[in-house]
Amino acid sequence: MSVTTVASMGLALAAVAVAFAAVVAARPTARRLRGMELARHVPAWARDRVPPGPFVLVAGAVLALALVSVFVEILDAVVDEDDFTAFDRPVVEWVAQRRTGWSSAVVVAVTDIGGKALLTLLLAGVAVAVAVRLRSWRPFVLAAVSGGGSALLVAGSKLLIARDRPDPLHRAVVESGFSFPSGHSASALVILATVAWLISMATGSRTVRATAWVAAGILAVAIGVSRVYLGVHYPSDVVAGWVLGATWLVTVAVADRLPGSPPLPLPRRWRRADGSTGWLAHRPVAVFTVTATAGFAAIFGIVSVAALGG
């Protein structure tokens, strides 16, 4: 195990410690918010007539569509070299002029947390542990679809857009391949969030759940920023990576929820005698996989049209 890998693991553990401290510090505020009973402010007709399951599904689908629209806007700005992408090169040049040897070493350790090897090992390890604890195949399927779909989306988008990386003179490390979107940013967000999701499935502790999600957020942001600091990505690459990753994560969440909460009333023959969603609930893995695949096709189709049309 290399020194950089050990440093990366140490920094990741430090992020978890910071997240835990933040969660503990926020406990009093969280208790006050729970005591306010925010649900009582929702109109009675909304509570009675709007089932929470379908509402969440529709809200998730709308959010995914909004996120992919933001990604397309960034893509168009990159292709046309306008809007906020006009600041890409000046930012990379400004950072390159102010890098130091020791800070670069620390940032390399941060960016390595988002490398394929560490993220894959982390996701696989947590998926196995949660699957054993729950005695279910669901964590394996969720991890495979989430991580695999993210990698395919990034790889396909890079080939479609084919944006060159920043000038090699401004890079602190050697990187190959295309620049847009940032694979480290997208993968870190998706995989770390999936890890937090799996941990939340396996524990009832609010502190552990919150710590997992806050740590995932801290690390995802740090890894994305590190790519700009090292001069291997433009800021727009990183932002696009986060947006694309969030789009896929929301899509996977919607697909995962669908078997238990169909957005529309199901035909009688698809329901059990007690009225429950028998067909969907009885085949959750198949429904989840088909829905996620359809979502992937829709996202990649929108990105392809935007890239080729631009």
Side-chain angles (χ1 to χ4, degrees):
M1 186 177 294
S2 66
V3 175
T4 303
T5 302
V6 173
S8 297
M9 296 173 65
L11 288 171
L13 291 175
V16 173
V18 170
F20 177 75
V23 169
V24 171
R27 277 178 180 172
T29 302
R31 291 195 189 99
R32 286 196 295 270
L33 290 175
R34 285 198 299 271
M36 291 172 62
E37 298 181 6
L38 299 178
R40 68 185 179 183
H41 299 292
V42 179
W45 65 266
R47 293 197 301 268
D48 298 336
R49 299 182 184 180
V50 182
F55 175 77
V56 171
L57 287 177
V58 172
V62 171
L63 178 58
L65 182 60
L67 286 169
V68 78
S69 298
V70 172
F71 180 82
V72 168
E73 286 297 320
I74 300 174
L75 188 158
D76 288 340
V78 167
V79 172
D80 297 335
E81 295 187 351
D82 58 8
D83 296 334
F84 80 96
T85 60
F87 297 96
D88 275 344
R89 288 181 175 80
V91 168
V92 170
E93 293 172 1
W94 185 86
V95 172
Q97 293 169 1
R98 287 159 178 79
R99 276 196 302 259
T100 60
W102 69 266
S103 63
S104 295
V106 173
V107 176
V108 167
V110 171
T111 207
D112 282 352
I113 299 173
K116 293 179 181 178
L118 282 181
L119 287 182
T120 302
L121 286 174
L122 175 63
L123 181 60
V126 172
V128 169
V130 175
V132 171
R133 179 178 177 81
L134 300 180
R135 297 182 180 181
S136 170
W137 287 99
R138 181 188 171 201
F140 286 119
V141 178
L142 180 61
V145 171
S146 183
S150 172
L152 289 174
L153 272 178
V154 170
S157 300
K158 282 179 177 287
L159 290 175
L160 283 171
I161 300 160
R163 186 189 198 187
D164 291 331
R165 290 185 183 272
D167 191 322
L169 295 176
H170 298 142
R171 302 182 204 172
V173 294
V174 177
E175 285 283 1
S176 59
F178 295 120
S179 186
F180 185 94
S182 167
H184 274 68
S185 300
S187 297
L189 188 148
V190 171
I191 293 180
L192 293 172
T194 302
V195 167
W197 185 356
L198 291 171
I199 291 173
S200 298
M201 290 167 54
T203 180
S205 170
R206 290 176 176 171
T207 299
V208 173
R209 290 179 175 181
T211 299
W213 283 103
V214 173
I218 292 173
L219 288 172
V221 171
I223 290 167
V225 172
S226 74
R227 306 304 286 170
V228 177
Y229 182 90
L230 295 174
V232 294
H233 279 294
Y234 296 109
S236 58
D237 299 334
V238 171
V239 174
W242 285 332
V243 173
L244 186 61
T247 303
W248 178 239
L249 192 64
V250 171
T251 302
V252 172
V254 170
D256 180 69
R257 193 177 180 89
L258 181 62
S261 304
L264 298 173
L266 295 175
R268 187 180 300 275
R269 66 179 180 276
W270 286 9
R271 292 180 174 272
R272 292 175 177 169
D274 60 0
S276 63
T277 56
W279 188 89
L280 289 177
H282 205 57
R283 298 173 175 82
V285 173
V287 174
F288 167 68
T289 304
V290 170
T291 307
T293 302
F296 177 92
I299 295 170
F300 191 68
I302 293 171
V303 173
S304 299
V305 171
L308 298 176

